[in-house]
Amino acid sequence: AQKVTQAQTEISVVEKEDVTLDCVYETRDTTYYLFWYKQPPSGELVFLIRRNSFDEQNEISGRYSWNFQKSTSSFNFTITASQVVDSAVYFCALRTGGYQKVTFGTGTKLQVIP
Amino acid sequence: SAVISQKPSRDICQRGTSLTIQCQVDSQVTMMFWYRQQPGQSLTLIATANQGSEATYESGFVIDKFPISRPNLTFSTLTVSNMSPEDSSIYLCSALGLAGSPDIQYFGAGTRLSVL
């Protein structure tokens, strides 16, 4: 069975602060994919990043960075210098290699206060 | 990325009626899925829409309640039948297997359904 845990239900930060969203996953498969999605108030899920299990390189994209650590089964997401437009619900998700269905975490609601 | 259009974007329906949601992808995809997101909750997979055959339903979801069609590689419909207030949710269409991004699952903007 696969499982994704996002322990942080809601986070509030003041604009320009850095914030890290935690994601811990469970799977017995050696091949898997991890994802982060953003869901703004409009409701659409916006794809942010995909990482496969064989690539532990951290990634940076502008103000966003992701830290993938297989040793702790974590795939954390950091927003640097947060902005009001970052306010959304963020979902971490997992798909194992031969299994096309995606398991979503429960989401972390981020509120950035101006 | 894929453009996934869902119609309607929102609706308010009476108990006992049915609503059909349409999902159109702007290019051919391997797989299409339907999810439900209840207020303040995560996404729950309803079913995988199979092209030319019956959909594959997850535990707790049945064809009589959520009939699904997928006549081709770019289009699918989900019907919510005999609705009750408990069906009030966001319903999201998703597509996987887009050329150039075969491992990324994209989502439509969702249909916000309220049942009175």
Side-chain angles (χ1 to χ4, degrees):
Chain A
Q2 45 188 36
K3 184 179 178 182
V4 177
T5 301
Q6 294 180 257
Q8 303 151 308
T9 305
E10 291 193 39
I11 301 176
S12 289
V13 298
V14 176
E15 199 171 20
K16 297 184 182 178
E17 286 185 348
D18 299 347
V19 58
T20 295
L21 309 182
D22 298 333
C23 173
V24 175
Y25 62 93
E26 294 177 31
T27 179
R28 293 178 182 175
D29 285 37
T30 56
T31 301
Y32 52 88
Y33 299 90
L34 294 161
F35 304 84
W36 276 96
Y37 289 87
K38 173 182 179 180
Q39 188 177 42
S42 60
E44 180 177 2
L45 257 75
V46 178
F47 165 77
L48 295 178
I49 190 171
R50 181 206 71 178
R51 176 64 73 222
N52 71 51
S53 53
F54 299 108
D55 183 2
E56 280 197 78
Q57 272 192 329
N58 292 328
E59 180 149 343
I60 298 174
S61 177
R63 296 184 297 107
Y64 295 171
S65 62
W66 291 269
N67 183 6
F68 176 31
Q69 292 196 339
K70 290 178 72 171
S71 61
T72 56
S73 296
S74 64
F75 186 42
N76 296 336
F77 174 28
T78 297
I79 301 174
T80 303
S82 59
Q83 299 177 1
V84 173
V85 294
D86 296 326
S87 297
V89 179
Y90 290 86
F91 290 96
C92 181
L94 167 70
R95 189 175 82 237
T96 54
Y99 187 67
Q100 298 300 333
K101 291 184 283 189
V102 175
T103 299
F104 285 85
T106 51
T108 297
K109 183 176 182 179
L110 173 64
Q111 184 177 14
V112 181
I113 303 166
Chain B
S1 64
V3 174
I4 302 176
S5 304
Q6 266 187 252
K7 292 192 297 186
S9 58
R10 60 177 65 236
D11 208 340
I12 300 173
C13 300
Q14 296 296 321
R15 180 196 297 261
T17 62
S18 297
L19 175 72
T20 295
I21 303 168
Q22 298 181 0
C23 177
Q24 177 73 56
V25 187
D26 66 349
S27 57
Q28 293 185 351
V29 290
T30 307
M31 303 185 76
M32 295 181 73
F33 306 90
W34 287 98
Y35 286 83
R36 182 175 72 183
Q37 186 179 24
Q38 294 178 304
Q41 303 296 313
S42 186
L43 281 75
T44 301
L45 180 64
I46 297 172
T48 302
N50 300 311
Q51 193 241 336
S53 64
E54 191 172 290
T56 304
Y57 289 84
E58 296 301 301
S59 176
F61 298 96
V62 294
I63 188 171
D64 290 346
K65 176 67 175 177
F66 297 102
I68 287 171
S69 77
R70 189 181 173 193
N72 57 51
L73 293 175
T74 63
F75 185 77
S76 179
T77 66
L78 167 75
T79 300
V80 186
S81 303
N82 188 24
M83 288 183 285
S84 66
E86 292 71 35
D87 294 320
S88 299
S89 290
I90 299 174
Y91 292 85
L92 293 127
C93 173
S94 177
L96 173 69
L98 180 71
S101 306
D103 297 316
I104 298 172
Q105 197 164 329
Y106 292 99
F107 288 82
T111 297
R112 293 178 185 268
L113 172 62
S114 295
V115 183
L116 304 178

